[in-house]
Each structure stands twice: as C-alpha cells, then as structure tokens.
Amino acid sequence: MNQSFDSLKAPEPVGAYPHARRVGSFLFLSGVGPRKRGSQKIPGVELDEGGRIVSYDIKAQCESVFQNVRAVLEECGSSWENLVDVTVFLTNMKDDFAAFNEIYAEFFKDNRPCRTTLEVNALPTPIAVELKCIATIEKERKVQTGGKR
C-alpha cells in the first residue's frame, strides 16, 4: 500500500506535499511545525511588522508541534505510541535544546522513539522547531482526510 494523506486538523502545508504517506506498515510524516490550522499565527511567537521574530516561547511551540503530530497520526490510523523515529529541527540549539528536551520527556514518557536533533539556520515559516516523524500503522483503515491521494 502506498497512499498519501492530507490532514483536516494539522496546519496546511507550506508547499506541494502531503501531511503523511503510508508505505506498507510505515507512516512517514512531512515536517510538522507549530502553526494552527486555518491561521498564520504561531503559538508563542511574536513577529514585528516585517514578519521577523521578535520573541518566542519554545515550550509553547513544542506543545503545539506535538499536538499537530498527534492529529496527523490519529487521522491516518496510527497513534503517538506507534512513533518509532523523530527528527527534530531547532533553529537555536544553544538556547532551546534544554527546554525542548524537558517538554519532549513529558510527552514521551511511555513511548521512546529514536531521535535525532539538528540545528538549522531557518525553517520555511518563522518557527523555532519542526518535527519529521516515522510511525508504524498496523491495520488498514478508511481514513477521512482532506485529500486522500
């Protein structure tokens, strides 16, 4: 099985890609950030009139990212517990890694997927964190999403 999914709950992609693609028993999520669906507002981020970040709350962004990842997983017939690999992109490793690690530990108490954390110069929108995830999906399920391809 090779099927892509567009979530009705996660923020709209900023490019021409699906929220997730199922290949066999694996679900590959595209990069997920903290924006909320239907809005350009980013939780915990204050922008100036030019769209540049004035200040941000990494914990608020992390909580929002984790909620968005969970929404995509569940809409696709998987779950938080089925995450097996997480790639984390931070724009400020020095200032944000400790706080990210703290909130990550809260959200991943029971399931501990493999994880890689990278610092990047920038992300496509004015955010400080983005996750790229792989999960398992065991059973076939008809999924109601915005655009099953």
Side-chain angles (χ1 to χ4, degrees):
M1 170 176 282
N2 188 335
Q3 181 179 24
S4 64
F5 300 95
D6 293 315
S7 171
L8 295 173
K9 296 179 182 173
E12 296 84 348
V14 295
Y17 55 85
H19 283 103
R21 178 172 293 281
R22 178 182 182 167
V23 178
S25 62
F26 289 99
L27 186 66
F28 299 86
L29 274 64
S30 296
V32 178
R35 283 184 303 112
K36 293 298 180 191
R37 183 157 190 93
S39 172
Q40 294 304 309
K41 180 143 177 55
I42 302 163
V45 176
E46 182 184 337
L47 301 174
D48 67 14
E49 53 280 341
R52 292 176 296 276
I53 298 171
V54 173
S55 66
Y56 67 93
D57 178 343
I58 190 66
K59 288 186 177 187
Q61 285 194 51
C62 290
E63 288 175 3
S64 187
V65 166
F66 295 153
Q67 291 167 1
N68 289 339
V69 166
R70 186 182 300 270
V72 173
L73 291 169
E74 290 174 358
E75 279 187 277
C76 294
S78 187
S79 70
W80 190 256
E81 295 71 31
N82 285 22
L83 281 167
V84 294
D85 190 60
V86 176
T87 302
V88 180
F89 301 95
L90 295 174
T91 59
N92 188 339
M93 188 77 73
K94 182 177 179 267
D95 291 342
D96 296 338
F97 184 74
F100 173 81
N101 240 3
E102 181 183 312
I103 194 157
Y104 185 93
E106 291 173 23
F107 276 80
F108 287 95
K109 286 179 190 165
D110 299 321
N111 178 27
R112 296 180 56 220
C114 293
R115 185 182 99 187
T116 302
T117 305
L118 305 163
E119 182 177 48
V120 295
N121 188 40
L123 290 162
T125 58
I127 59 177
V129 60
E130 182 174 286
L131 266 57
K132 172 88 176 93
C133 304
I134 301 171
T136 58
I137 183 167
E138 285 129 24
K139 58 186 181 209
E140 185 158 344
R141 180 178 156 194
K142 294 229 182 223
V143 179
Q144 295 298 323
T145 65
K148 206 164 42 164
R149 292 184 192 137

